[in-house]
Amino acid sequence: MTRLDEVRAALSERADRADLVPSSPAHAYHRARLDAAGAAARTRERPRRAALAVAVAAAALVAIVVGTLALLELGDENGSVVITEPVDPSPDGAPADRDDGRFPDEDPDDGIVPDESGEPDRIEPPEPGTSADPAPGTETVESVLTTTTAGPVPPPATCSADARPDRAGPGDQARRPSMGGVLAVMSSAFDSQSGVVVSVVAGQDIDDQTWILDVCTNTWSRGSPPPLAVAYHGPVVYDVDSDLVVVLPSFADISRAASYDADTDTWTTGSALPDGALPLTGALYDPVSGLIVTGGSSSWFAYDVEVDRWDAVAIGSLDNGLEPEAGLSSGVLLAHITDRDLFVLWGEPMTTVDVRTGEATQHDVDTPELVYGWPPPPLVYTQDDAGLGIIHTLGGGELHGFDPVTLDWVRLSESDSGPGAAGTRGFDDLVHDPINDRIVAIGGVVRSGGEWTEIDDTWAFDPDARVWTLLVEASP
Amino acid sequence: MRETVKLSTRDEQRVTEAYPAVRRFAFAVADSDVDPDDLLHEALVRVLSRGRIDEIDDLEAYLRRAVANVASNTRRRLGRRRRALGRLRAMSTREVADGPDATMVGSELMRLSAADRAALYLRVVEGRPHGEVAEVMGVSEEAARARVSRALRRMRVEMELEGVES
């Protein structure tokens, strides 16, 4: 083989990887078209904001002149001047910095608080009286996330006394969702009141599937198929106070929300995303409002599954989007740190967001290379009753943990143990099983000997003992 | 009753026809720490943001050029992240089994610029004449020839013997 042949082979090998990663041209087109529409809308918005800024500046100048004249003439009965706290001047109640005529990237004071030190030690709890107790004279934005309260949460399911969830399930059971080696996506959530993992497998050219894993018997079974509206689905999340697994749409014009009731094995189709919404890349149940908070890299919504309603969530400081370089894992709404009431937006830099106030803070975190590997690994957040949580991610078969408070990474398992033993793994899914306090890793594909092969095994990771246990063997 | 979803438009048809070849190109051109699908997505967004794509004669070449441009810009943008990853690599002696670009040639390819890889891919994998390489790269034919030649030299290919210069 000549040197040129070697170069040609190496370049071809890189191009051939495109065939190993499922991708739908139509899906890619629509995703790009929506992002292009969003970019165009922001461009159209720019002159309007500039004009508004001029108007606001002129009004402010007039106010200063008038106020100064008034102060010269007026005082209280003791002759001293009374100065009140400023009130948000925007007529629609939006934060004042939203319509200042500048885009966030043009102004360092854009609401995203940069990490000046470069290496923050940890995310500190909120100061008393910051968000819940606004300063006198100021007005807060009435977000649906502050005006809605979660309903009562029934106790989670438990396994029966004779159950052995640590034992592998039956060897002859129907296997967990098959991706079919085609353009499908698997997304899962844990229904804590039914004690089951619900996995939705949907995509192009396959029969969309619902699979249920009983975590007490480690047995998969098939549920009724999801509606076609979720074929191009986005995130899947369990709505705790509604006791429904909610499948969110990915695109405004081709998919809709749907919810699955594991108790009755029934699907209900909901509405589409509001017009102009960008693809959603992550979703979380907000235990404060009881709503599902979801968003992409720039537009966020609250979804109320019980009344099938979308409400825009004003994250003003993020409306210019995140840095795009972090790959597919960036911009994923990932975790809610309960004791700080902060949402973690995955990416590089990682961002924490106070959705009640819209304040965002970016944290410069050095992330292990495998976590941003190829293909993008799944992410799951676990949190104990005390609010201590870890973001887990299975990159290439290695399990890594990230503490979103201390901003520390730790490798929890090596690539030759558990699901990593079969080879470098991708397109798998992770779910937290709170009943057995473990992380469930579901299937995917493994690369061994240069080939990608679908695998339908199921594993559990004990975060205390840091040990993997095989729950369901792969098909022979 | 199942719902039907209307997906087909002429723009979509043109994009989806060009998509597989452009995607392979993106995979060949992308740096190892950049997701090729992200690269392609950004290129698609830029092209679609320009408005009417039915006015673009050779959409595939146009998309390839967008991919090459985005790849070059991304490479410049990623300095900070690369430095962080470099520190991590220095801390770990373990190499990823089956990881990308494990071969020596693969590693050398990754040291080329994205534009050089794009030119090489078009010339030595797809066998396109320098004129077509130039069209995709948005440069003159002479500049394309020089870029291919320079990239081959950097890859230590004996050009006279290999015959790719002609």
Side-chain angles (χ1 to χ4, degrees), chain A residues 441-460:
Chain A
I442 306 167
V445 296
V446 293
R447 190 178 188 214
S448 183
E451 297 290 327
W452 288 100
T453 309
E454 188 176 358
I455 192 165
D456 56 4
D457 55 2
T458 306
W459 291 82

Side-chain angles (χ1 to χ4, degrees), chain A residues 263-299:
Chain A
D263 294 333
T264 59
D265 187 28
T266 53
W267 280 95
T268 303
T269 303
S271 58
L273 269 172
D275 287 343
L278 299 178
L280 306 178
T281 56
L284 284 172
Y285 173 74
D286 173 17
V288 176
S289 67
L291 304 175
I292 292 173
V293 179
T294 181
S297 60
S298 54
S299 56

Side-chain angles (χ1 to χ4, degrees), chain A residues 177-203:
Chain A
S178 168
M179 309 266 292
V182 291
L183 307 176
V185 175
M186 171 173 61
S187 301
S188 310
F190 192 85
D191 181 333
S192 57
Q193 287 169 52
S194 300
V196 297
V197 174
V198 176
S199 281
V200 177
V201 181

Side-chain angles (χ1 to χ4, degrees), chain A residues 45-306:
Chain A
E45 183 78 351
R46 190 182 294 255
R48 191 185 71 79
R49 288 185 177 209
L52 198 55
V54 171
V56 169
L61 185 61
V62 169
I64 289 170
V65 171
V66 171
T68 303
L69 291 173
L71 285 174
L72 290 174
E73 294 179 1
L74 300 176
D76 63 7
E77 61 269 25
N78 299 320
S80 58
V81 174
V82 179
I83 300 176
T84 57
E85 295 288 330
V87 176
D88 179 354
S90 62
D92 59 0
D97 63 349
R98 293 292 306 280
D99 278 323
D100 62 356
R102 293 175 297 222
F103 269 71
D105 58 341
E106 297 168 350
D107 182 358
D109 186 21
D110 58 9
I112 293 182
V113 182
D115 167 32
E116 297 293 347
S117 66
E119 297 290 341
D121 292 328
R122 56 189 289 115
I123 297 172
E124 298 299 337
E127 292 292 329
T130 50
S131 58
D133 184 18
T138 61
E139 292 179 357
T140 55
V141 179
E142 286 295 300
S143 163
V144 68
L145 296 176
T146 59
T147 58
T148 309
T149 305
V153 177
T158 56
C159 294
S160 63
D162 58 345
R164 294 296 305 272
D166 54 332
R167 284 188 180 170
D172 58 350
Q173 64 176 285
R175 290 305 194 273
R176 60 96 218 157
S178 168
M179 309 266 292
V182 291
L183 307 176
V185 175
M186 171 173 61
S187 301
S188 310
F190 192 85
D191 181 333
S192 57
Q193 287 169 52
S194 300
V196 297
V197 174
V198 176
S199 281
V200 177
V201 181
Q204 186 168 304
D205 301 331
I206 66 164
D207 291 329
D208 301 339
Q209 304 158 40
T210 307
W211 283 82
I212 313 296
L213 173 68
D214 183 327
V215 296
C216 296
T217 63
N218 299 323
T219 306
W220 284 102
S221 60
R222 286 192 75 155
S224 58
L228 185 61
V230 306
Y232 291 89
H233 66 268
V236 176
V237 63
Y238 176 62
D239 188 310
V240 180
D241 67 345
S242 303
D243 189 21
L244 292 169
V245 172
V246 178
V247 181
L248 295 162
S250 54
F251 302 104
D253 56 350
I254 61 172
S255 55
R256 298 168 66 176
S259 58
Y260 178 72
D261 186 336
D263 294 333
T264 59
D265 187 28
T266 53
W267 280 95
T268 303
T269 303
S271 58
L273 269 172
D275 287 343
L278 299 178
L280 306 178
T281 56
L284 284 172
Y285 173 74
D286 173 17
V288 176
S289 67
L291 304 175
I292 292 173
V293 179
T294 181
S297 60
S298 54
S299 56
W300 288 31
F301 297 92
Y303 180 64
D304 187 337
V305 66
E306 294 184 28

